[in-house]
Each structure stands twice: as structure tokens, then as C-alpha cells.
């Protein structure tokens, strides 16, 4: 049986872009390479190297970096590929050139793997489609890959890979359980946000979140950790954590991300930092055999892991950092196509967008002949949108009706109101009557499903309902000018003029996430 190399040409925008099986394969390869590099028993097999001077790897760092940038540079040199770096301080991005235009030019110079760090979130997800379109338009052999080297406070998937590799190494490659404390700026820190899905590499996960309220893990991340089956506890400082007992033997520190904090939090940085800085007095409270990790950098004046701990057995952050090069060598090898032929596991789950959310209801014996009256006068021709936000609070429905009218341009004659359900008194629903309005076209029906899922559309002719359609909640919302992500740091936010069309995927119930920055919204919140 022939197997394709499923890693070749992939983009890694978030940790979940690689399935659990794929990550375990990567770790297995990294472990093999590390053994060969450290023992020197055998000559390093060439099979690990891409050894292709025509394969262009480009580093584009729009934010400062030492470890990520330099470990990728060292990894690319290991592979003997063509390595370039965009001088972002003097590039035309500073003349307001869009990301898509900038990267498309670099793709046109026969570069295929881009390592991208940015303040804006979701950049790699956007470039994946923009770059692929460019490659198609220009008849390029190979679609480009984008590796997220950290995007705002969203994710840092390659840091997550090296963190998981190090945790597994320290756990003797046992994946059964992990009890870890995440300590520090859990609000702005992207490395801990990647842990929400990354830690699923372990079967039973207990996470102690240690951060003052202002730097606490965002609610979306906490919900997702719970969905992933993690056991969670929250503490507002190291003091309160160690005084409670049952302290984890693995601590993962993150620095206060000063560059991403607002003015109000910055003013209180000393007080907040004190809550998450390890002190000598805590040493007696940590269990025997505890390991400390840190993605680094440490602040030289105010390190949350003070330098006196460098020479103690707690120090696992130095080996963690060195593992970054090994893991990134393997990652480049997989995406470049030299490794991966022997992978036999499962790929990541693809979202299912096939859900049929527009259902035409049979009229015979079920509403056929029903009259809708506006006041006392029956509507002879037009549309009635019924069951809007059925079951929600009266005020919620009342506030949402003008939004629906505006988005669907349902101006003109008619009325709209909130009423009690006839069958279930006390259950409210919204109704929009539009006498004389022509039936909605397919695009407007899809829009209505996205802004008022659960409603029914009644088409009326000669005072009778002649067509009735029920709209369920769609699996994704896209293709409408009236939607936008409200996260100002998202690449798709209209303020950035990047021309990125907003798109949202349904994750559960009435909740959707932005395709790019993964900010979570109720369907009502995405309309402009
Ligand atoms: N861990 C990490 O991302 O470090 P750099 O910012 O130095 O790349």
C-alpha cells in the first residue's frame, strides 16, 4: 500500500492543525534525532535532512524574538535549505502594504515555507488561503506553508510542540497523566493559550491556574479546557497556591506580557508581578522532584523565576529551550517533505460544513391555509418571519429585531413585535410582518439563518401560507459584508484594511469562533 506524506506543504497556524497522532509522530522523530545528536553513536542519517538548496524557507518576524527565530534559523541550516529573513523594520509593510501582497511577492521568488511572528492574530490562517490562491493564479508547483511563530496573544504552536516534547521526556514518555501549574500572565500569554489543546497529549490532565484576576486565563480558554476533560483549579497568587497543599510537581511560568497590557494593568505591574514571582520561602512547599519550565525570555530585572534557581534541579527551562531546535528541525523536515512517509496515524478532524440548515416544511395539514393577520386585517401577500429567538428573554428579542431588519433591509410596510407563544405561554418569540414583500432569495435566507436561527419564514399569497421554511443554526457564517470579528488584534478586523473576509465556525450551541483569531461569539455579536 502506498502512503502519501501528509505533512508536506501543511500550515501550522494553531496546535490543533496537527492531530494527536501527528504530534506523537513528530515527537518520536525528535526523540530519535536527539538521541543521535547527543550520543553520536551513529552518523546522522541523511534521511533527517531536506538537503535541498532550492527549498526557500523565509523568516518574517514582525515582533522581536530570540529563541523562536534563532532555533528555526539553526534548524533551517541543519537542513541545508535556502534561508532568508525579511528585514521587517525596512519592508514595505511599513508603507501600508498588505500582508497578502508582501507574502505573495516572497512566494513568487520560489519560497515555500514561511515562519511568521506577528502582533496581529490569525495571520497564518489568512496567508494559508491567500498564498494558496496566489500559487494557483501563477501556476506555481508548490503551495506555500505558514508556520505560526506566535501571533499576538492567540497561539504559539511550535512552542507548544517543544513544551509537550519536554514534558513527555521528563515523564519518561508516559502519557497517562500530567499535573501542571500554569503560573504567570495567563491572559496575554500565547504559550499558555496553546496549552488548552496541546495538553491533550496526556490522557488525564490536571491544571492549576495561578494568576491574579487581571492576568487570569480567559473564560473561553477555561471552557475549552473543561471540554477537553481537564481538571482545573484557580489561585490568585503563588502564596495562595502553596498554602493550599496538593502542589503540582511541574510548574510552567510565563512572564508578564508588558507589551500587550493596557495602561491600567501596566500601572499595577509591580503588585501583579509579585503574585507570580517565585520566592526562596516557597522552596519548602514544592514537592521533591519538581521541575520548572519557562518559554523565556525572563525579564532581567524582574524575573518570575529568579536567577538563584538556575543551578537547582528545578531548572528544566534550559533543556526545554534547547529542545526547541530539535523539534523545529523535525517540523521543517515534515512540512518540507523529507520525513513523514512512514506516518500511519489519523489526520486532524476536518470541520463538517455539510449540515443542511434550511428545511422546507410540508404544508399539507401543517399550516397550509393558515392566515397571518396584521392587527385585524389578514395579510394577502408578503412574508412573515416567525419564531425569532423563541425562548429567549423578551428584552433580548426586542433588542435583536432592529438588527435583523437592518441586515436584511426589511424596511417598508409592516410591523414587528415580541409575543407570547400560543402553545407555551411565558415563552417569548419575535415576529416580523412584511406585507407586499417578495419572497427572500437564497442568499437572504442564509443570512436570516445566521442572524435568527430557529425562525420560520412564511410566504403568503392570496391570504394563505404557500411556503414555509424553517432555518436551523448554520455550521459557519461567511460571505456577508455585515459580519466582522470584534477583536481589534484580529487580521480580519476591518480597521486593518487587510481585505480578509470575516468567517465564523460554529463550535457548539449558539457559539461561533472567528476562523482567524478564534475569538468566541454568540451569533448575535458578529453583526456590524
Ligand atoms: N519562547 C519564545 O517564543 O521566545 P522568543 O520570544 O525569544 O522567540
Amino acid at each position: 500500500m502506498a502512503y502519501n506524506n501528509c505533512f508536506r506543504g501543511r500550515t501550522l497556524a494553531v496546535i490543533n492543525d496537527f492531530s494527536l497522532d501527528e504530534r506523537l509522530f513528530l515527537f518520536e522523530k525528535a526523540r530519535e534525532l536527539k538521541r543521535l545528536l547527543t550520543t553520536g553513536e551513529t552518523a546522522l542519517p541523511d534521511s533527517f535532512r531536506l538537503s535541498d538548496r532550492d527549498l526557500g524557507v523565509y523568516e518574517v518576524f514582525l515582533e522581536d524574538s530570540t529563541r523562536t527565530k534563532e532555533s528555526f534559523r539553526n534548524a533551517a541550516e541543519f537542513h541545508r535549505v535556502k534561508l532568508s529573513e525579511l528585514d521587517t523594520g525596512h519592508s514595505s509593510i511599513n508603507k501600508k502594504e498588505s500582508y497578502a501582497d508582501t507574502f505573495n511577492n516572497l512566494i513568487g521568488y520560489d519560497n515555500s515555507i514561511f515562519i511568521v511572528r506577528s502582533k496581529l492574530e490569525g495571520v497564518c490562517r489568512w496567508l494559508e488561503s491567500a498564498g494558496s490562491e496566489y500559487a494557483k493564479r501563477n501556476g506555481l508547483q508548490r503551495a506555500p506553508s505558514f508556520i505560526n511563530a506566535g501571533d499576538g496573544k492567540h497561539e504559539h504552536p511550535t512552542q507548544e510542540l517543544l513544551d509537550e516534547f519536554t514534558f513527555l521526556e521528563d515523564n519518561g514518555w508516559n502519557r497517562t497523566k500530567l499535573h501542571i501549574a500554569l503560573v504567570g500572565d495567563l491572559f496575554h500569554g500565547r504559550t499558555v493559550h496553546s496549552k488548552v489543546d496541546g495538553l491533550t497529549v496526556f490522557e488525564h490532565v490536571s491544571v492549576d491556574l495561578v494568576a491574579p484576576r487581571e492576568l487570569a486565563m480567559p473564560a473561553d480558554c477555561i471552557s475549552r479546557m473543561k471540554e477537553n476533560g481537564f481538571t482545573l483549579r484557580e489561585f490568585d497568587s503563588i502564596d495562595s497556591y502553596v498554602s493550599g497543599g496538593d502542589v503540582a510537581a511541574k510548574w510552567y511560568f510565563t512572564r508578564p506580557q508588558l507589551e500587550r497590557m493596557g495602561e491600567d494593568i501596566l500601572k499595577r505591574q509591580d503588585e501583579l508581578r509579585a503574585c507570580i514571582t517565585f520566592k526562596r520561602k516557597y522552596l519548602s512547599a514544592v514537592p521533591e522532584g519538581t521541575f520548572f519550565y519557562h518559554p523565556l525570555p525572563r525579564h532581567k530585572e524582574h524575573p518570575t523565576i529568579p536567577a538563584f534557581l538556575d543551578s537547582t534541579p528545578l531548572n528544566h527551562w534550559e533543556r526545554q529551550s534547547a529542545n526547541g531546535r530539535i523539534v523545529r528541525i523535525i517540523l521543517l523536515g515534515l512540512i518540507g517533505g523529507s520525513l513523514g512517509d512512514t506516518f500511519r496515524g489519523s489526520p486532524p478532524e476536518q470541520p463538517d460544513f455539510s449540515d443542511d440548515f434550511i428545511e422546507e416544511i410540508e404544508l399539507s395539514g401543517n399550516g397550509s391555509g393558515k392566515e397571518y393577520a396584521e392587527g385585524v386585517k389578514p395579510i394577502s401577500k408578503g412574508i412573515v418571519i416567525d419564531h425569532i429567538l423563541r425562548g429567549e428573554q423578551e428584552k433580548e428579542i426586542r433588542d435583536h429585531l432592529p438588527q435583523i431588519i437592518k441586515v436584511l433591509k426589511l424596511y417598508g410596510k409592516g410591523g414587528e413585535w415580541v409575543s407570547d407563544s400560543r402553545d407555551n405561554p411565558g415563552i417569548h418569540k419575535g415576529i416580523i410582518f412584511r406585507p407586499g414583500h417578495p419572497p427572500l432569495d437564497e442568499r437572504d435566507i442564509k443570512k436570516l439563518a445566521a442572524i435568527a436561527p430557529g425562525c420560520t419564514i412564511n410566504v403568503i399569497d392570496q391570504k394563505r401560507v404557500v411556503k414555509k421554511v424553517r432555518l436551523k443554526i448554520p455550521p459557519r457564517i461567511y460571505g456577508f459584508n455585515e459580519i466582522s470579528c470584534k477583536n481589534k488584534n484580529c487580521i480580519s478586523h476591518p480597521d486593518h484594511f487587510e481585505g480578509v473576509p470575516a468567517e465564523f465556525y460554529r463550535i457548539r450551541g449558539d457559539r461561533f469562533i472567528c476562523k482567524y483569531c478564534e475569538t468566541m461569539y454568540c451569533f448575535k455579536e458578529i453583526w456590524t
Side-chain angles (χ1 to χ4, degrees):
M1 190 176 193
Y3 289 93
N4 289 327
N5 185 340
C6 66
F7 293 96
R8 188 176 188 274
R10 291 264 291 278
T11 279
L12 180 67
V14 294
I15 191 66
N16 263 352
D17 282 346
F18 277 16
S19 69
L20 178 58
D21 282 354
E22 289 172 341
R23 282 185 276 148
L24 293 175
F25 181 81
L26 183 152
F27 300 147
E28 207 43 59
K29 288 278 168 203
R31 193 177 167 190
E32 200 182 324
L33 176 64
K34 185 169 179 179
R35 192 178 56 76
L36 292 171
L37 287 172
T38 48
T39 61
E41 279 169 27
T42 349
L44 200 58
D46 272 348
S47 60
F48 275 99
R49 297 185 201 272
L50 288 162
S51 295
D52 179 357
R53 289 293 309 153
D54 292 328
L55 182 77
V57 173
Y58 232 102
E59 290 198 316
V60 181
F61 277 68
L62 294 137
E63 241 192 18
D64 297 342
S65 167
T66 297
R67 276 143 291 275
T68 314
K69 186 164 144 189
E70 295 308 317
S71 60
F72 264 120
R73 190 171 62 79
N74 280 273
E77 279 167 3
F78 171 94
H79 280 294
R80 300 176 186 141
V81 294
K82 181 184 78 155
L83 173 67
S84 314
E85 183 191 342
L86 184 70
D87 177 3
T88 50
H90 298 91
S91 79
S92 291
I93 289 178
N94 304 321
K95 299 180 200 164
K96 301 275 178 214
E97 182 173 44
S98 73
Y99 280 61
D101 277 358
T102 301
F103 280 85
N104 284 347
N105 279 281
L106 304 179
I107 296 165
Y109 307 148
D110 273 342
N111 295 293
S112 30
I113 301 181
F114 293 88
I115 300 153
V116 187
R117 174 168 286 189
S118 59
K119 282 192 172 57
L120 289 188
E121 298 169 16
V123 171
C124 287
R125 182 60 76 234
W126 163 236
L127 292 175
E128 182 185 25
S129 49
S132 154
E133 286 301 314
Y134 173 90
K136 252 188 250 161
R137 277 199 303 277
N138 290 280
L140 302 184
Q141 293 288 323
R142 187 179 172 130
S145 307
F146 298 89
I147 298 175
N148 179 4
D151 59 337
K153 59 179 165 51
H154 177 215
E155 277 229 21
H156 194 344
T158 69
Q159 178 72 45
E160 182 54 26
L161 290 174
L162 77 93
D163 290 347
E164 288 169 36
F165 177 81
T166 311
F167 299 156
L168 284 167
E169 191 175 50
D170 286 344
N171 241 23
W173 302 98
N174 182 341
R175 299 201 294 116
T176 318
K177 60 177 186 212
L178 179 78
H179 180 194
I180 192 165
L182 303 181
V183 185
D185 185 351
L186 309 184
F187 185 80
H188 304 92
R190 55 197 170 206
T191 62
V192 285
H193 298 164
S194 286
K195 296 213 157 9
V196 170
D197 292 318
L199 292 180
T200 55
V201 77
F202 292 94
E203 287 157 25
H204 301 283
V205 180
S206 299
V207 182
D208 298 334
L209 302 165
V210 183
R213 189 178 49 81
E214 294 81 349
L215 306 180
M217 188 67 102
D220 293 9
C221 292
I222 291 186
S223 317
R224 266 172 44 216
M225 282 179 150
K226 286 182 182 161
E227 279 165 24
N228 285 339
F230 299 179
T231 304
L232 298 182
R233 298 188 300 166
E234 290 184 71
F235 303 87
D236 60 8
S237 66
I238 298 181
D239 246 348
S240 63
Y241 182 45
V242 295
S243 59
D246 191 20
V247 171
K250 296 200 166 52
W251 293 38
Y252 187 94
F253 286 82
T254 61
R255 73 187 165 89
Q257 313 276 307
L258 303 177
E259 68 278 25
R260 279 188 265 283
M261 288 179 180
E263 282 298 314
D264 289 347
I265 301 183
L266 268 179
K267 273 188 224 153
R268 299 184 47 219
Q269 57 174 290
D270 292 342
E271 173 198 338
L272 298 175
R273 191 187 291 110
C275 301
I276 50 174
T277 298
F278 195 83
K279 299 183 183 78
R280 206 178 282 274
K281 66 177 181 181
Y282 302 139
L283 275 172
S284 58
V286 296
E288 187 71 26
T290 294
F291 301 154
F292 281 4
Y293 304 96
H294 197 308
L296 304 175
R298 277 190 292 183
H299 194 290
K300 63 184 175 186
E301 204 182 337
H302 305 292
T304 52
I305 298 184
F308 77 86
L309 294 174
D310 288 4
S311 53
T312 70
L314 292 169
N315 181 349
H316 279 235
W317 59 90
E318 287 176 353
R319 197 170 36 77
Q320 175 194 0
S321 168
N323 280 341
R325 182 179 68 107
I326 311 277
V327 166
R328 286 168 176 137
I329 286 174
I330 300 300
L331 179 64
L332 285 184
L334 290 170
I335 289 178
S338 68
L339 303 170
D341 288 346
T342 55
F343 175 69
R344 300 288 180 267
S346 303
E349 271 179 41
Q350 294 303 319
D352 179 10
F353 296 133
S354 62
D355 196 7
D356 193 2
F357 56 92
I358 302 170
E359 181 193 4
E360 185 158 350
I361 300 167
E362 280 282 345
L363 287 176
S364 55
N366 184 16
S368 172
K370 179 177 176 180
E371 278 186 354
Y372 270 99
E374 192 191 19
V376 290
K377 191 175 159 209
I379 295 179
S380 57
K381 196 175 175 73
I383 57 169
V384 176
I385 304 169
D386 201 353
H387 301 107
I388 297 168
L389 299 192
R390 188 179 182 280
E392 295 210 15
Q393 297 293 316
E394 194 176 345
K395 182 177 177 328
E396 276 287 310
I397 305 172
R398 203 176 297 289
D399 289 348
H400 196 52
L401 288 177
Q403 181 82 304
I404 299 171
I405 291 165
K406 190 172 158 198
V407 163
L408 281 133
K409 299 188 175 61
L410 292 171
Y411 304 121
K413 280 200 299 181
E416 54 278 342
W417 55 86
V418 180
S419 75
D420 250 359
S421 160
R422 209 178 321 172
D423 304 331
N424 302 82
I427 302 286
H428 295 96
K429 62 173 186 172
I431 305 179
I432 299 174
F433 281 74
R434 286 296 178 266
H437 198 288
L440 298 178
D441 63 19
E442 197 186 327
R443 190 175 162 72
D444 275 348
I445 291 174
K446 285 185 173 168
K447 206 182 270 184
L448 188 58
I451 197 167
C455 75
T456 52
I457 311 170
N458 300 275
V459 179
I460 298 168
D461 197 15
Q462 299 189 4
K463 300 184 185 170
R464 294 277 174 254
V465 175
V466 293
K467 187 174 177 185
K468 193 179 187 83
V469 175
R470 179 174 295 130
L471 303 179
K472 291 189 256 178
I473 195 158
R476 69 176 159 163
I477 303 177
Y478 68 107
F480 305 130
N481 292 333
E482 299 87 349
I483 54 172
S484 64
C485 179
K486 310 303 176 207
N487 170 11
K488 281 194 184 285
N489 296 316
C490 178
I491 180 86
S492 75
H493 192 282
D495 282 1
H496 301 303
F497 299 99
E498 291 285 339
V500 182
E503 189 164 338
F504 299 88
Y505 298 157
R506 181 165 165 249
I507 46 164
R508 75 183 108 81
D510 63 2
R511 302 280 135 176
F512 286 76
I513 53 166
C514 168
K515 171 180 171 179
Y516 306 100
C517 69
E518 301 188 306
T519 301
M520 191 160 74
Y521 298 98
C522 168
F523 67 86
K524 283 177 252 169
E525 297 166 329
I526 61 174
W527 301 89
T528 309

